Amino acid sequence: MAKHGKRTTAARAAFAGKSNLTVEDAVALVKGNANAKFDETVEISMNLGVDPRHADQMVRGVVGLPNGTGKTVRVAVFARGPKAEEAQAAGADIVGAEDLMEIVQGGTIDFDRCIATPDMMPVVGRLGKVLGPRNLMPNPKVGTVTMDVGDAVKAAKGGEVQFKVEKAGVIHAGVGKASFDEAKLVENVRAFVSAVAKARPAGAKGTYMKKVSLSSTMGPGVSVNVDSAVAE
């Protein structure tokens, strides 16, 4: 049987027997036990009562976390002319058209968010098999296919988080860093959960949000009372 280190053993002991906590207590527990040598991400996991194989039960959306994510987001923009200049002025890390398409096709994906103007979608569409599995394909439903590329870049850089339910009905996301104040993490968690609640699809039946859990990158998870997790 594998032996756990002192840090892991201590964290498991701190979490033992604790579940269905308020957001405040869960954040305090996760933050207090995030003692890796780097600034761990506080992660949320939500189990939803949906089957995303059915189109009317797909859950996806975007939320601007009030206190940001603490993560440096690299943004690529497919645009030409004035819109390319607008993207660069807004702080986009990579801007291009067919040249950027060739770079991505060659296997280099040095960005975390991809934005495109509508006229560039025929070009971006050729990258579906590359960007799709990485959840990087621009989509008008989450504001990444837009003529307002400057605002989209600023939103992505400023703490906007996209979410999309996986096959098993689970949504994962980072909602801040362990170095954040507890109050800021609580605010981010509630903003995220409320956005998922508002994205409830028409085809969802019965209990929509079944379970909410918080953890840090290297730490155990703890379940959160669902009612406590919804924004007040």
Side-chain angles (χ1 to χ4, degrees), residues 132-194:
R134 293 173 172 81
N135 200 27
L136 289 173
M137 193 67 182
N139 190 311
K141 292 182 179 179
V142 293
T144 48
V145 177
T146 176
M147 289 300 289
D148 297 323
V149 290
D151 288 342
V153 170
K154 291 175 183 177
K157 291 277 189 179
E160 188 179 74
V161 175
Q162 294 181 8
F163 57 86
K164 181 180 179 181
V165 68
E166 300 172 1
K167 290 181 180 180
V170 178
I171 283 178
H172 295 282
V175 289
K177 292 290 185 178
S179 59
F180 282 19
D181 291 340
E182 288 182 17
K184 290 184 177 180
L185 286 170
V186 167
E187 193 175 7
N188 278 1
V189 169
R190 288 202 168 114
F192 186 87
V193 174
S194 293

Side-chain angles (χ1 to χ4, degrees), residues 189-221:
V189 169
R190 288 202 168 114
F192 186 87
V193 174
S194 293
V196 175
K198 291 176 182 176
R200 176 172 180 152
K205 306 297 181 184
T207 302
Y208 174 51
M209 290 192 288
K210 292 184 173 182
K211 184 178 180 181
V212 178
S213 300
L214 289 181
S215 64
S216 63
T217 304
M218 302 297 290

Side-chain angles (χ1 to χ4, degrees), residues 45-179:
S45 176
M46 300 180 65
N47 292 71
L48 305 180
V50 298
D51 184 350
R53 292 176 298 178
H54 301 287
D56 66 345
Q57 294 188 49
M58 173 54 67
V59 180
R60 72 180 305 161
V62 62
V63 55
L65 297 182
N67 302 297
T69 63
K71 177 183 177 182
T72 300
V73 179
R74 299 164 299 171
V75 180
V77 178
F78 284 87
R80 294 190 181 98
K83 287 299 174 182
E85 295 173 2
E86 179 183 330
Q88 289 175 330
D93 299 273
I94 308 168
V95 181
E98 284 82 2
D99 55 334
L100 179 53
M101 178 193 72
E102 292 175 0
I103 291 172
V104 174
Q105 283 180 328
T108 301
I109 302 177
D110 193 23
F111 51 86
D112 309 296
R113 183 72 59 86
C114 186
I115 296 166
T117 54
D119 60 294
M120 289 301 303
M121 287 310 293
V123 173
V124 181
R126 303 178 202 173
L127 301 172
K129 291 183 179 180
V130 179
L131 298 180
R134 293 173 172 81
N135 200 27
L136 289 173
M137 193 67 182
N139 190 311
K141 292 182 179 179
V142 293
T144 48
V145 177
T146 176
M147 289 300 289
D148 297 323
V149 290
D151 288 342
V153 170
K154 291 175 183 177
K157 291 277 189 179
E160 188 179 74
V161 175
Q162 294 181 8
F163 57 86
K164 181 180 179 181
V165 68
E166 300 172 1
K167 290 181 180 180
V170 178
I171 283 178
H172 295 282
V175 289
K177 292 290 185 178
S179 59

